[in-house]
Amino acid sequence: MAQLSCKKLSVGYGSNVLVDSLSFSVKKGDYLYILGDNGSGKTTLMQTILHLIKPLSGEIKTGDGLLYDEIGYLPQQTEAQKDFPASVREIVLSGNQSRCGRRPFYNKAEKEIAVENMKKMGIYDLEKRCYRELSGGQQQRVLLARALCSTQKMLLLDEPVTGLDPEATAEMYELIEELHKEGITIIMISHDVDAALKYASHILYIGKNTFFGTREEYLCWKK
């Protein structure tokens, strides 16, 4: 049974259709890379899946016990967001907001979840540091820890290595792969075809010609 399925989904803005009549599904434990040129609609598709943007048509469903508020999301950062004047601990804790409901504070369990994820991402020693003082790689670890506070089921990542140096890029890929091995379903937007061919179980290519299938099927399709 699919954790996430899209059927005849069209996304865009008003009369500007970026992705038309797209159908694909993601099962528990899949590692899906979304590839395509700039402007092809990859980010718009991800934001539509997250209900941040309304679909133009078609349907999106979750299943296999996955709820929408159990999907973690690591978006692309703007320059202003990189300069955010909050502590690492405050940012990671904010990933628990969906658990709080109307409660205006974090309880003990939510604080423990934040600590656990900071340790998992290797940033616990930075918890009191100001976010804007961190390197790009450290900031991405903070945002990944924040996203993990929302889920142990599915992560959506929008170009998580953009702007990172080669060492930080390799470390981020390995962190994400470890999460995948722990059973978290990964959906990642990327321009890195080499990484897709190394890590992906499935690939969705969006462009003039659209493809969805396994990594092996993608290699045949590209030929």
Side-chain angles (χ1 to χ4, degrees):
M1 183 178 182
Q3 276 189 326
L4 177 73
S5 59
C6 298
K7 185 176 181 180
K8 296 183 178 179
L9 182 66
S10 296
V11 305
Y13 303 90
S15 60
N16 184 21
V17 179
L18 297 176
V19 181
D20 190 30
S21 196
L22 176 67
S23 296
F24 70 96
S25 61
V26 180
K27 294 182 179 179
K28 181 179 180 180
D30 283 353
Y31 195 146
L32 173 66
Y33 263 71
I34 302 177
L35 305 176
D37 295 334
N38 287 331
S40 60
K42 302 184 299 297
T43 294
T44 304
L45 171 63
M46 184 169 282
Q47 291 175 342
T48 304
I49 289 170
L50 289 161
H51 287 186
L52 300 175
I53 299 173
K54 291 184 178 181
L56 300 180
S57 62
E59 63 180 15
I60 306 166
K61 290 184 178 180
T62 56
D64 200 12
L66 178 70
L67 303 176
Y68 274 106
D69 61 5
E70 295 176 316
I71 299 176
Y73 177 42
L74 195 164
Q76 292 186 49
Q77 281 200 95
T78 65
E79 288 303 316
Q81 289 168 333
K82 292 178 182 180
D83 199 39
F84 195 66
S87 71
V88 167
R89 183 175 184 274
E90 289 170 329
I91 289 176
V92 175
L93 263 173
S94 69
N96 287 296
Q97 287 180 353
S98 63
R99 304 173 189 271
C100 294
R102 295 183 179 181
R103 176 166 33 87
F105 58 87
Y106 300 109
N107 62 26
K108 181 180 179 181
E110 290 155 358
K111 291 176 182 178
E112 288 175 350
I113 289 170
V115 169
E116 176 186 345
N117 286 317
M118 283 190 285
K119 289 180 177 178
K120 184 178 288 189
M121 292 296 104
I123 55 170
Y124 182 61
D125 60 331
L126 303 175
E127 68 167 338
K128 296 181 180 178
R129 289 276 302 277
C130 183
Y131 178 75
R132 64 185 177 189
E133 296 173 355
L134 305 181
S135 68
Q138 289 171 330
Q139 286 189 344
Q140 287 299 82
R141 285 172 180 253
V142 172
L143 296 180
L144 192 50
R146 180 184 185 275
L148 285 172
C149 286
S150 303
T151 188
Q152 285 297 310
K153 295 184 178 181
M154 179 180 284
L155 278 173
L156 273 59
L157 314 170
D158 192 349
E159 299 193 42
V161 301
T162 298
L164 302 185
D165 62 42
E167 182 178 355
T169 294
E171 289 175 354
M172 182 59 62
Y173 280 141
E174 287 303 314
L175 281 172
I176 296 167
E177 174 63 5
E178 285 302 312
L179 295 173
H180 177 240
K181 289 178 179 178
E182 291 174 10
I184 297 178
T185 305
I186 305 293
I187 301 177
M188 183 194 298
I189 292 173
S190 179
H191 288 285
D192 191 340
V193 176
D194 289 339
L197 296 179
K198 179 178 180 180
Y199 296 110
S201 64
H202 294 74
I203 292 173
L204 171 62
Y205 181 87
I206 298 173
K208 185 177 181 179
N209 296 308
T210 300
F211 168 87
F212 171 71
T214 66
R215 176 176 54 190
E216 292 75 18
E217 289 169 339
Y218 174 77
L219 286 171
C220 294
W221 178 75
K222 286 295 290 183
K223 291 178 182 179

